[in-house]
């Protein structure tokens, strides 16, 4: 048996000591830390391909997991990926974990969105009242109820009775309370109960590749009661959809692990947090709507996404799919229900309607996965097309969703054309020297002045900065180029060599943006700029190729809707200056925010939205950029700034 080893870990102002014995000494540091409750951002699946889990070796020795070589501490800390080193048997080491390397680092709540369409109030789960006079006396009660509801509601889908309805006695009052639930290809009618008075709530969710955002909604009033967000638990198994698909191809058992990571480890915690903060019981959740890209929806439902990893890139399902909570590893803890006579209500409307609801159907609510168009044009994009309002506009419009995956949709006349580009996670701060997602301590904006030696910065939470997020990186590229610090190639200009903020680091020249909260400088390197330009070029080339497909120029587009939690906080002038939206003018750009979440919210409260989204998904023409002969040259052209 191997000798015991000791690891001392410094995180912020805390120090932890971890003892490892036996086989645990062979665990890479990231795995050892995770077992100790200090999870790092191993977004590339612990393959050493990113900088998410960087730690500093302060003292002692470590062993390279693949090379077997010994790395000894020196007077200067070694910055190393924790997934590539382990402790020596019988040895010890001391490391420092930067805040930005922690998986638990709190993300910014990216729930801002703008809805450009009107909606009806016709939720996927609702309490209704049916006049007893509308029931045909010559029919069994269940049949009479279904016929009367169908006649009253005039839905496109059939209305069917739940088993409990057949057990009801003939109505003794003038009004029969009922519960109506959209169950996919039909509506389901349950009996109501005026004695329970439990008000229904819904949950709208945007399952992003890196961030999951959830929203608790009062179904009676449409009021947004609470929101919460967190890192998608899958990031430690892969930082993008292609990595996660490849993991499933190589190790099929990973499908279940990836589902557990997003459903149990991520969404369950978000729902419990919202319920706890709002005083709502789990039994009051009546419906859930999930938006996300096609791969995320497959993994959410534990469906193998492997076929999307190789040509011809086909999905196992694209249609609107309805699951039940009992089919998912989602076990939300219950609490005390809010009732019309109990705790303070989130809205008067909900209190007025609460007495019509029966909580019994809420124990196993429906989970709606919104429809997608193709393997790489998912439900998040379809939701965005609807929520942005472009579907109802006559003028030529474009939706650009900036994130780990860059999706673009063009509406021209009656046609919808869409494509996806592999932008990568750079815009979310991933893989960059001091990059982090938009959370507390992240530098969100950078302003550079030719006359000033020091940049002005904005920090989320007004605290000491710990890293740089995507919006600030875009600011830096645009403003450094304007200030003459960067050349069009993305390299620092020779004439900027004397700038007091410019230094030479181990990976080339670096511009120091600020002094970090952990006494380490926060900087942007030339390699960071190169990765940002690659991500920018992928999206810019996608925009140009999509416009070329129908013979249009940027000037022909009435409005470009810039979407994503990232996009809503952009400085539009800097977005244009850095070349992300080539040829567009400021007045053409409309920031619409997280339209994926907006679409999920709309579908939750207006059942008719589902039909609209299905039509959009069915009619969208998917353009495969890898088959476009001009894409590669266009991409190369846009690598400059």
């Amino acid at each position: 048996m191997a000798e015991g080893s000791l690891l001392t870990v410094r995180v912020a102002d805390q120090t932890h000591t971890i003892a490892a014995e036996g086989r645990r000494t062979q665990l890479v540091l990231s795995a050892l830390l995770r077992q100790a409750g200090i999870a790092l951002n191993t977004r590339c699946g612990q393959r050493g391909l990113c900088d998410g889990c960087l730690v500093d070796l302060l003292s002692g020795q470590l062993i390279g997991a693949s090379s077997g070589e010994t790395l000894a501490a020196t007077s200067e800390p070694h910055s190393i990926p924790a997934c590539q080193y382990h402790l020596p048997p019988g040895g010890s080491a001391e490391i420092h974990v930067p805040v930005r390397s922690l998986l638990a680092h709190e993300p910014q709540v990216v729930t801002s969105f703008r809805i450009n369409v009107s909606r009806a109030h016709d939720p996927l789960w609702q309490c209704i009242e049916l006049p007893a006079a509308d029931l045909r006396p010559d029919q069994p009660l269940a049949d009479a109820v279904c016929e009367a509801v169908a006649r009253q509601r005039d839905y496109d889908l059939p209305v069917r009775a739940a088993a409990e309805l057949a057990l009801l006695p003939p109505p003794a009052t003038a009004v029969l309370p009922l519960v109506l639930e959209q169950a996919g290809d039909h509506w389901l009618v349950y009996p109501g109960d005026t004695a329970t008075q439990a008000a229904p709530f819904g949950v709208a969710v945007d399952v992003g590749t890196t961030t999951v955002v959830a929203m608790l909604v009062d179904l009676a009033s449409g009021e947004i009661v609470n929101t919460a967000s967190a890192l998608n638990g899958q990031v430690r198994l892969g930082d993008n959809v292609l990595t996660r698909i490849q993991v499933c191809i190589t190790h099929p058992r990973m499908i279940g692990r990836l589902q557990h990571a997003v459903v149990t480890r991520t969404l369950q915690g978000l729902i419990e947090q919202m319920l706890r903060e709002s005083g709502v019981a789990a039994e009051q959740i009546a419906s859930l709507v999930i938006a996300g890209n096609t791969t995320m929806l497959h993994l959410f439902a534990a469906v193998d996404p492997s076929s999307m990893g190789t040509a011809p890139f086909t999905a196992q399902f694209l249609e609107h799919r309805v699951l039940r909570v009992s089919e998912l590893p989602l076990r939300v803890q219950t609490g005390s229900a809010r009732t019309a006579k109990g705790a303070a209500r989130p809205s008067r409307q909900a209190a007025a309607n609460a007495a019509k609801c029966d909580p019994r159907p809420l124990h196993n609510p429906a989970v709606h996965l919104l429809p997608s168009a193709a393997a790489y044009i998912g439900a998040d994009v379809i939701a965005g097309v609807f929520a942005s309002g472009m579907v109802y506009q006559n003028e030529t419009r474009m939706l650009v969703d900036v994130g780990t995956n860059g999706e673009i949709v063009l509406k021209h006349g009656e046609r919808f054309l869409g494509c996806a580009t592999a932008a990568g996670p750079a815009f979310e701060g991933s893989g960059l020297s001091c990059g982090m997602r938009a959370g507390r301590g992240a530098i969100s904006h950078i302003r550079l002045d030719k006359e000033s030696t020091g940049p002005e910065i904005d920090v989320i939470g007004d605290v000491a900065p710990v890293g740089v997020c995507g919006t600030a990186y875009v600011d830096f590229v645009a403003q450094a180029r304007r200030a003459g610090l960067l050349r069009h190639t993305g390299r620092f200009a020779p004439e900027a060599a004397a700038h007091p903020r410019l230094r030479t680091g181990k990976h080339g020249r670096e511009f120091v943006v600020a002094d970090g909260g952990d006494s380490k400088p926060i900087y942007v390197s030339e390699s960071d700029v190169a990765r940002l330009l690659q991500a920018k070029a992928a999206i810019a080339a996608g925009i140009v190729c999509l416009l070329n497909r129908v013979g249009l120029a940027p000037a022909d587009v009435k409005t470009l809707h810039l979407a994503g939690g990232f996009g809503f906080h952009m400085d539009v002038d800097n977005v244009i200056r850095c070349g992300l939206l080539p040829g567009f003018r400021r007045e053409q750009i409309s920031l619409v925010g997280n339209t994926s979440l907006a679409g999920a919210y709309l579908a939750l409260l207006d059942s008719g939205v589902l039909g609209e989204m299905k039509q959009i998904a069915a009619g969208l023409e998917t353009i495969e950029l890898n088959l476009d002969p001009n894409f590669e040259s266009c991409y190369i052209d846009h690598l400059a700034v």
Side-chain angles (χ1 to χ4, degrees), residues 225-249:
V225 177
N226 204 349
T227 56
S229 69
L231 276 167
N232 186 331
Q234 296 174 348
V235 296
R236 66 185 182 88
L237 302 171
D239 68 341
N240 57 57
V241 295
L242 294 176
T243 303
R244 295 175 203 174
I245 290 173
Q246 188 58 46
V247 166
C248 295
I249 294 173

Side-chain angles (χ1 to χ4, degrees), residues 24-261:
R24 292 185 75 230
T25 61
Q26 299 301 307
L27 289 175
V28 292
L29 296 182
S30 55
L32 189 62
L33 289 170
R34 184 169 64 249
Q35 289 186 2
I38 308 173
L40 302 186
N41 193 353
T42 52
R43 50 183 173 258
C44 69
Q46 301 192 137
R47 294 179 297 155
L49 301 179
C50 73
D51 296 328
C53 64
L54 288 181
V55 299
D56 300 320
L57 175 61
L58 304 178
S59 65
Q61 295 181 335
L62 295 172
I63 306 296
S66 57
S67 67
E69 296 179 356
T70 299
L71 176 67
T74 62
S75 57
E76 290 293 325
H78 288 292
S79 184
I80 58 169
C83 64
Q84 298 300 302
Y85 289 87
H86 63 77
L87 289 166
S92 64
E94 181 181 1
I95 63 172
H96 167 253
V97 180
V99 176
R100 61 178 175 268
S101 293
L102 293 172
L103 181 61
H105 190 65
E106 179 185 1
Q108 183 183 17
V109 178
V110 286
T111 52
S112 300
F113 53 69
R114 179 174 293 116
I115 294 175
N116 294 330
V117 292
S118 59
R119 67 165 177 85
H121 190 75
D122 186 22
L124 296 176
W125 194 103
Q126 56 187 288
C127 304
I128 66 171
E129 292 181 338
L130 187 67
D134 288 355
L135 301 175
R136 287 178 50 181
D138 59 333
Q139 288 183 311
L141 181 60
D143 294 343
V145 166
C146 290
E147 182 181 294
V149 170
R151 188 168 58 247
Q152 182 189 81
R153 294 281 165 155
D154 192 28
Y155 287 132
D156 293 333
L157 300 176
V159 178
R160 299 174 186 168
E164 299 95 317
L165 203 60
L167 304 177
L168 278 184
T173 59
V175 175
L176 183 64
L178 298 168
V179 169
L180 191 58
E181 178 188 49
Q182 215 274 14
D185 61 354
H186 65 281
W187 284 88
L188 200 58
V189 183
Y190 294 92
D193 185 350
T194 57
T196 61
Q197 300 189 21
F201 291 82
V203 178
V205 184
D206 168 35
V207 180
T209 307
T210 56
T211 304
V212 177
V213 189
M215 175 180 290
L216 184 65
V217 180
D218 186 324
L219 292 181
S221 67
E223 177 187 353
I224 298 172
V225 177
N226 204 349
T227 56
S229 69
L231 276 167
N232 186 331
Q234 296 174 348
V235 296
R236 66 185 182 88
L237 302 171
D239 68 341
N240 57 57
V241 295
L242 294 176
T243 303
R244 295 175 203 174
I245 290 173
Q246 188 58 46
V247 166
C248 295
I249 294 173
T250 308
H251 304 289
R253 70 179 187 280
M254 292 299 295
I255 298 168
R257 286 189 61 187
L258 285 161
Q259 183 195 41
H260 182 269

